[in-house]
């Protein structure tokens, strides 16, 4: 635990966390006059809007107890946020003092880590993935942390966005071992269920500086409701609870999340994941045949990264037909990222690409 306490910004422990009416109310009451809510339902009323006039539970126990079953960790090791984006932001704020500390990232990777660091005034150390295989350069990462003790968070994205591949599990654990007491290793597993591989969350027991970030956005069709789940040592969860916004999840989000993670909801989600994985293989094979495509990367996620001569022209031509792809050539030479859609959407894409030539 001291390993973690010594890494958190001292100001975070020194401050008094905001305590909302919902946190302070220990007993269920009949009449709620403690939070300046409006007692009347919002317009136009009706069953869907019931309860919208009340503040939600900050960390709903019913959701937490389902997540303990889904992720196999006790409730003290779970933290719910408004999407994984908010978790990333809170981690940076908790561990990195402005102007003093920093994060380490492994480009090409998810851009939000850098954005969160910039907002916080934390420095960003870049140790590129090994070219060609796009795996962690663990020796160089460790050397970077040796050189700069201000690095408090190391972000590892696995499967990585945009290269779509899993990071080697043993390498991540080796790094966490070496950095224990010096930096937290945050593993972003937003796409893990598309890989069929187990989470690193089970290794938090042996590696207290390991933090795993999950979300319902990419895997369980709930991007629009915003739900991130952070799996970490109880001390980290305690710190995140100190600095979280008073009510991260809305009343409607809590309902939608409850349905999505019910046993039937998870079974439904898993079937969709299987469909997407089957389509991923079909689309990848078809793309590889096209003259405009130089290379399609193998994928452990629900998207593909391809390389093409002229990414701007390709994205422009498809956009003109109403199909939007993501030009990632700033991250990877000639790189274009595309999500796997429904079979019909994927057929449309392949047809448009054939015409494009
Ligand atoms: C989409 C994405 C996120 C953000 O997820 P939300 O839960 O919707 O905030 C985080 N990390 C990676 C790698 C992503 O691709």
């Amino acid at each position: 635990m001291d390993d973690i306490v010594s890494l958190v910004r001292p100001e975070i422990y020194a401050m008094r966390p905001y305590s909302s009416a919902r946190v302070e109310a220990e007993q269920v009451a009949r009449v709620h006059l403690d939070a300046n809510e409006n007692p009347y339902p919002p317009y136009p009323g009706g069953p869907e809007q019931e309860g919208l006039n009340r503040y939600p539970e900050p960390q709903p126990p019913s959701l937490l107890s389902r997540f303990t079953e889904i992720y196999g960790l006790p409730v003290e090791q779970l933290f719910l946020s408004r999407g994984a984006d908010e978790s990333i932001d809170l981690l940076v704020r908790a561990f990195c003092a402005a102007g003093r500390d920093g994060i380490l990232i492994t480009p090409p990777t998810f851009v939000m880590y850098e954005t969160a660091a910039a907002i916080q005034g934390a420095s960003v150390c870049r140790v590129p993935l090994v070219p060609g295989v796009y795996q962690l350069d663990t020796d160089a990462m460790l050397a970077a942390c040796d050189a700069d003790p201000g690095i408090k968070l190391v972000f590892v994205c696995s499967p990585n966005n945009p290269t779509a591949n899993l990071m080697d599990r043993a390498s991540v654990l080796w790094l966490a071992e070496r950095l224990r007491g010096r930096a937290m290793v945050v593993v972003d597993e937003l796409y893990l269920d598309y890989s069929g591989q187990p989470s690193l969350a089970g290794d938090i027991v042996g590696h207290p500086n390991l933090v795993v970030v999950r979300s319902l956005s990419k895997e369980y069709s709930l991007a629009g409701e915003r739900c991130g789940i952070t799996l970490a040592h109880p001390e980290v969860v305690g710190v995140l609870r100190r600095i979280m916004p008073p009510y991260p999840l809305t009343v409607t989000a809590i309902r939608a999340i409850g349905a999505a993670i019910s046993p039937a909801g998870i079974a439904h989600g898993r079937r969709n994941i299987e469909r997407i994985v089957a389509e991923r293989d079909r689309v990848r094979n078809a793309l590889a045949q096209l003259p405009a495509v130089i290379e399609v990367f193998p994928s452990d996620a629900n998207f593909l990264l391809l390389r093409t001569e002229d990414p701007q022209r390709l994205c422009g031509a498809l956009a003109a037909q109403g199909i939007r792809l993501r030009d990632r050539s700033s991250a990877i030479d000639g790189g274009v990222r595309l999500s796997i859609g429904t079979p019909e959407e994927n057929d449309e894409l392949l047809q448009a690409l054939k015409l494009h030539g």
Side-chain angles (χ1 to χ4, degrees):
M1 194 177 94
D2 289 347
D3 282 351
I4 294 166
V5 173
S6 64
L7 295 176
V8 175
R9 286 169 56 203
E11 308 87 280
I12 301 291
Y13 284 121
M15 71 169 218
R16 185 135 64 93
Y18 176 71
S19 180
S20 64
R22 275 291 166 279
V23 168
E24 286 180 5
E26 275 166 16
Q27 278 156 0
V28 186
R30 275 182 307 108
V31 181
H32 288 267
L33 303 176
D34 60 343
N36 296 350
E37 296 149 339
N38 188 314
Y40 301 107
Y43 182 81
E48 275 113 83
Q49 287 183 304
E50 207 181 311
L52 293 196
N53 57 322
R54 299 292 175 188
Y55 282 108
E57 302 237 52
Q59 297 282 296
S62 59
L63 298 186
L64 286 173
S65 84
R66 259 305 280 162
F67 279 123
T68 63
E69 292 167 16
I70 294 166
Y71 295 122
L73 289 185
V75 70
E76 314 81 66
Q77 294 196 248
L78 299 179
F79 174 76
L80 305 180
S81 59
R82 192 184 178 90
D85 285 337
E86 186 178 73
S87 168
I88 292 162
D89 179 54
L90 291 176
L91 286 165
V92 172
R93 289 203 256 168
F95 287 94
C96 298
R100 191 176 71 211
D101 299 324
I103 68 165
L104 185 153
I105 59 167
T106 60
T109 192
F110 188 53
V111 179
M112 184 61 200
Y113 316 134
E114 215 170 324
T115 309
I119 294 169
Q120 174 64 7
S123 62
V124 179
C125 172
R126 294 173 187 80
V127 179
L129 294 172
V130 178
V133 292
Y134 298 106
Q135 285 292 333
L136 302 177
D137 188 345
T138 46
D139 288 334
M141 291 168 81
L142 190 60
C145 291
D146 286 341
D148 180 1
I151 295 174
K152 294 289 163 57
L153 295 177
V154 173
F155 282 97
V156 172
C157 191
S158 178
N160 184 45
N161 181 0
T163 56
N165 61 315
L166 277 165
M167 296 297 114
D168 176 61
R169 189 183 184 87
S171 301
V172 179
L173 292 175
W174 181 87
L175 202 61
E177 188 74 47
R178 291 295 176 297
L179 292 176
R180 186 164 171 172
R182 299 163 60 189
M184 306 296 293
V185 176
V186 182
V187 187
D188 179 332
E189 293 186 339
L190 267 271
Y191 301 96
L192 188 74
D193 283 1
Y194 292 104
S195 75
Q197 293 301 306
S199 171
L200 277 156
D203 295 287
I204 294 169
V205 177
H207 302 81
N209 59 332
L210 199 59
V211 175
V212 172
V213 179
R214 306 289 304 255
S215 164
L216 299 185
S217 293
K218 308 311 199 329
E219 299 169 332
Y220 291 89
S221 304
L222 225 48
E225 289 289 8
R226 319 300 300 123
C227 179
I229 309 97
T230 308
L231 312 168
H233 186 281
E235 185 64 28
V236 176
V237 169
V239 164
L240 293 175
R241 284 179 171 232
R242 284 178 83 81
I243 63 170
M244 71 179 181
Y247 308 101
L249 308 177
T250 66
V251 171
T252 34
I254 291 168
R255 279 183 204 148
I257 295 162
I261 66 174
S262 66
I266 293 290
H268 175 89
R270 294 234 161 96
R271 281 194 296 277
N272 282 340
I273 288 171
E274 280 168 28
R275 288 156 84 176
I276 291 166
V277 168
E279 277 294 287
R280 174 182 79 197
D281 297 340
R282 178 179 80 92
V283 175
R284 179 164 185 245
N285 291 336
L287 286 176
Q289 315 289 320
L290 298 174
V293 176
I294 301 170
E295 175 185 14
V296 196
F297 288 55
S299 174
D300 296 308
N302 68 334
F303 59 87
L304 292 166
L305 180 70
L306 59 81
R307 287 182 54 242
T308 180
E309 291 290 350
D310 192 342
Q312 228 174 336
R313 193 172 146 256
L314 181 90
C315 292
L318 287 186
Q321 300 194 50
I323 301 173
R324 201 182 294 168
L325 310 181
R326 191 80 179 254
D327 184 339
R328 295 302 285 123
S329 54
S330 59
I332 288 242
D333 194 30
V336 172
R337 194 191 68 194
L338 56 100
S339 315
I340 302 300
T342 63
E344 298 74 28
E345 288 172 332
N346 301 331
D347 284 341
E348 258 200 71
L349 164 82
L350 293 168
Q351 199 54 40
L353 281 170
K354 265 184 206 137
L355 294 177
H356 173 71

